[in-house]
């Protein structure tokens, strides 16, 4: 640990030393923090915060960007440093912490949204979890690209006003309409409104990706519209009773675990995959089935992380769940990065939120 007496000494050294030595000092202090981070308390983190805030006054942009990348994943990173990095005008510095750091509150994010531009907005829109005040602020200030990113972010929680803004924009945008239609939490009246007021192009896009029973509902605009999933999957039988019974039997025998799920995935047994994952992440079968069948994989990652699955098993699931629609290598790499950033507590929180939302849709 750094004693408080060295703070003034460090500051003097930074002011009088060549740039490369200043950067070296910053790197050493950052190394020391990251090595001790799992074992220190908030008071000790505060000492590092004080030291680092002094050090970053005297280093170049590249060193700040490097610091941002290193501190962003740390769950107890120094708050003052994180806030200062997040507020930097250069996205190379601000981006990593805006995207990843758990130390930024919703209030911090809203403040940055209101004071910065699109690059900062896009970084925030990609965060694993976004609460309603943040999505409201992004929708108020954001661009078309921000809307797209938010609609595809299954960790973004929208207010009723926020969903209304998205739906209103999606009426004339087929790509956005498709993303909105695939979300698990869109209020049914707003989906109905989207279909009623959408252009023919948007309706065709929704119909092209909707299951058979939703086709009729979209055309009639009379009853609840289900979330968008791909046609191929919906063409399969929906009676998964036997698969659920087999998986329940495994659970009763204490043989239901990640290895069993991986075997189901390797064999492309979608019903068993759904049933096993539902039990392992403690979610309703219908919700997990919908996540498994939906073409975009963002929501499925949440269920897998809630079940605490390894990336190796998740990769097999992504590759085998929809044989007619294989995941691309680029999407697989993006999914791996997203899965690494997602924490289990966040995944469990999101899963609980979706289950509550879907339960309310049934009443």
């Amino acid at each position: 640990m750094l004693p408080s007496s060295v703070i003034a000494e460090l500051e003097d050294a930074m002011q009088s030393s060549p740039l490369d030595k200043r950067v070296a000092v910053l790197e050493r202090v950052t190394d020391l923090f990251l090595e001790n981070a799992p074992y220190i308390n908030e008071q000790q983190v505060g000492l590092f915060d004080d030291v680092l805030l002094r050090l970053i006054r005297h280093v170049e942009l590249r060193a700040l960007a490097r610091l941002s990348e290193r501190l962003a994943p740390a769950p107890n990173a120094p708050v003052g440093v994180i806030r200062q990095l997040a507020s930097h005008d250069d996205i190379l510095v601000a981006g990593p912490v805006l995207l990843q750091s758990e130390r930024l509150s919703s209030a911090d994010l809203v403040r940055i949204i209101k004071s910065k531009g699109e690059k900062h907005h896009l970084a925030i829109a990609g965060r694993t979890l976004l609460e309603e005040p943040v999505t409201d602020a992004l929708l108020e200030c954001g661009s078309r690209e921000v809307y797209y990113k938010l609609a595809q972010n299954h960790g973004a929680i929208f207010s009723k006003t926020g969903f209304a803004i998205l739906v209103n924009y999606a009426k004339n945008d087929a790509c956005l309409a498709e993303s909105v239609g695939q979300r698990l939490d869109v209020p049914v009246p707003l989906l109905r409104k989207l279909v009623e007021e959408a252009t023919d192009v948007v309706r065709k896009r929704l119909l092209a990706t909707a299951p058979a029973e939703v086709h009729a509902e979209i055309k009639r605009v009379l009853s609840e519209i289900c979330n968008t999933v791909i046609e191929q999957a919906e063409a399969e039988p929906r009676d998964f009773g036997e698969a659920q019974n087999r998986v329940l039997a495994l659970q009763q025998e204490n043989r239901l675990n990640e290895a069993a799920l991986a075997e189901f995935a390797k064999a492309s047994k979608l019903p068993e995959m759904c049933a096993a994952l539902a039990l392992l992440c403690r979610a309703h079968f219908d919700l997990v089935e919908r996540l498994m069948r939906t073409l975009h994989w963002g929501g499925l990652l949440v269920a897998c992380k809630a079940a605490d699955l390894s990336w190796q098993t998740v990769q097999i699931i992504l590759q085998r769940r929809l044989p007619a629609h294989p995941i691309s290598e680029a999407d697989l790499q993006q999914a791996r990065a997203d899965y690494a950033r997602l924490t289990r507590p966040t995944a469990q929180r999101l899963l609980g939120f979706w289950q509550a939302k879907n339960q309310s849709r049934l009443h």
Side-chain angles (χ1 to χ4, degrees):
M1 290 295 296
L2 288 172
S4 56
S5 61
V6 305
I7 294 177
E9 182 182 343
L10 276 170
E11 187 166 13
D12 290 340
M14 291 291 282
Q15 289 174 336
S16 59
S17 298
L19 180 60
D20 58 342
K21 290 188 177 180
R22 299 177 195 173
V23 173
V25 173
L26 179 62
E27 284 283 329
R28 287 200 296 273
V29 174
T30 307
D31 287 342
L32 187 59
F33 168 73
L34 293 174
E35 289 167 5
N36 289 276
Y39 316 109
I40 59 179
N41 59 37
E42 281 297 322
Q43 184 177 0
Q44 293 167 321
V45 172
L47 178 58
F48 275 103
D49 203 9
D50 200 3
V51 172
L52 288 170
L53 282 170
R54 285 167 166 77
L55 298 182
I56 62 178
R57 297 173 187 168
H58 310 291
V59 296
E60 62 181 351
L61 185 70
R62 183 167 56 182
L64 291 177
R66 165 75 173 157
L67 179 65
S68 181
E69 290 175 355
R70 299 188 70 193
L71 292 182
N76 63 336
V79 175
V81 175
I82 291 295
R83 286 173 176 160
Q84 188 155 325
L85 294 172
S87 299
H88 200 282
D89 288 337
D90 196 302
I91 194 61
L92 292 177
V93 176
V97 293
L98 288 178
L99 179 64
Q100 297 183 60
S101 181
E102 298 177 8
R103 300 291 258 179
L104 293 170
S105 67
S106 289
D108 292 329
L109 295 171
V110 170
R111 174 179 52 80
I112 293 169
I113 291 166
K114 292 181 177 180
S115 62
K116 302 298 178 182
E118 183 181 44
K119 290 181 179 179
H120 290 67
H121 297 169
L122 284 169
I124 294 172
R127 287 175 67 87
T128 301
L129 177 63
L130 292 172
E131 296 181 338
E132 289 183 7
V134 182
T135 55
D136 281 346
L138 283 171
L139 289 168
E140 181 180 347
C141 303
S143 65
R144 178 181 180 184
E145 287 71 23
V146 171
Y147 281 23
Y148 282 168
K149 198 160 189 176
L150 282 176
Q152 294 172 357
N153 184 348
H154 289 265
I157 300 174
F158 296 93
S159 65
K160 291 182 179 180
T161 300
F163 267 129
I165 293 172
L166 266 186
V167 167
N168 187 61
Y169 196 96
K171 291 185 299 185
N172 299 302
D173 189 315
C175 293
L176 182 60
E178 183 179 353
S179 295
V180 172
Q182 292 193 37
R183 292 192 62 89
L184 299 172
D185 49 355
V186 185
V188 171
L190 286 177
L191 269 180
R192 185 177 296 120
K193 176 181 174 64
L194 175 59
V195 175
E196 288 176 344
E197 301 180 4
T199 65
D200 288 340
V201 172
V202 170
R203 289 178 180 175
K204 287 178 182 178
R205 188 67 172 259
L206 286 168
L207 286 168
T209 55
E213 65 267 26
V214 178
H215 277 244
E217 293 176 5
I218 290 176
K219 290 176 181 177
R220 294 193 306 267
V221 196
L222 292 176
S223 59
E224 179 182 2
I225 302 172
C226 300
N227 288 68
T228 307
V229 295
I230 63 172
E231 290 180 333
Q232 179 269 340
E234 287 294 331
E236 299 172 1
R238 295 296 300 271
D239 184 5
F240 285 174
E242 290 186 9
Q244 288 179 282
N245 289 337
R246 284 194 293 271
V247 172
L248 281 170
L250 286 178
Q251 184 185 51
Q252 292 167 358
E253 298 166 4
N254 293 319
R255 292 193 297 127
L256 179 60
N257 51 29
E258 180 175 342
L261 173 56
E263 289 303 314
F264 290 140
K266 290 175 184 177
S268 297
K269 293 183 176 180
L270 183 64
E272 286 82 358
M273 288 163 61
C274 294
L277 181 55
L279 288 173
L280 291 174
C281 73
R282 299 182 179 181
H284 298 308
F285 176 84
D286 289 346
L287 174 60
V288 172
E289 182 199 356
R290 187 178 298 175
L291 293 173
M292 194 76 74
R293 291 176 176 274
T294 300
L295 195 55
H296 191 271
W297 32 262
L300 181 57
L301 294 184
V302 172
C304 291
K305 180 66 77 168
D308 202 22
L309 302 183
S310 67
W311 169 250
Q312 289 74 18
T313 299
V314 177
Q315 178 174 331
I316 297 169
I317 291 172
L318 293 176
Q319 291 173 323
R320 300 297 182 88
R321 66 186 179 117
L322 301 171
H325 298 266
I327 187 171
S328 69
E329 185 60 32
D331 280 349
L332 192 62
Q333 292 306 313
Q334 183 61 57
R336 182 173 187 173
D338 290 348
Y339 196 68
R341 287 196 296 112
L342 182 64
T343 65
R344 193 180 186 195
T346 296
Q348 291 171 328
R349 179 180 176 184
L350 283 170
L351 205 58
F353 173 77
W354 292 342
Q355 292 200 99
K357 282 285 187 179
N358 276 270
Q359 189 66 27
S360 67
R361 288 165 65 100
L362 299 177
H363 300 289

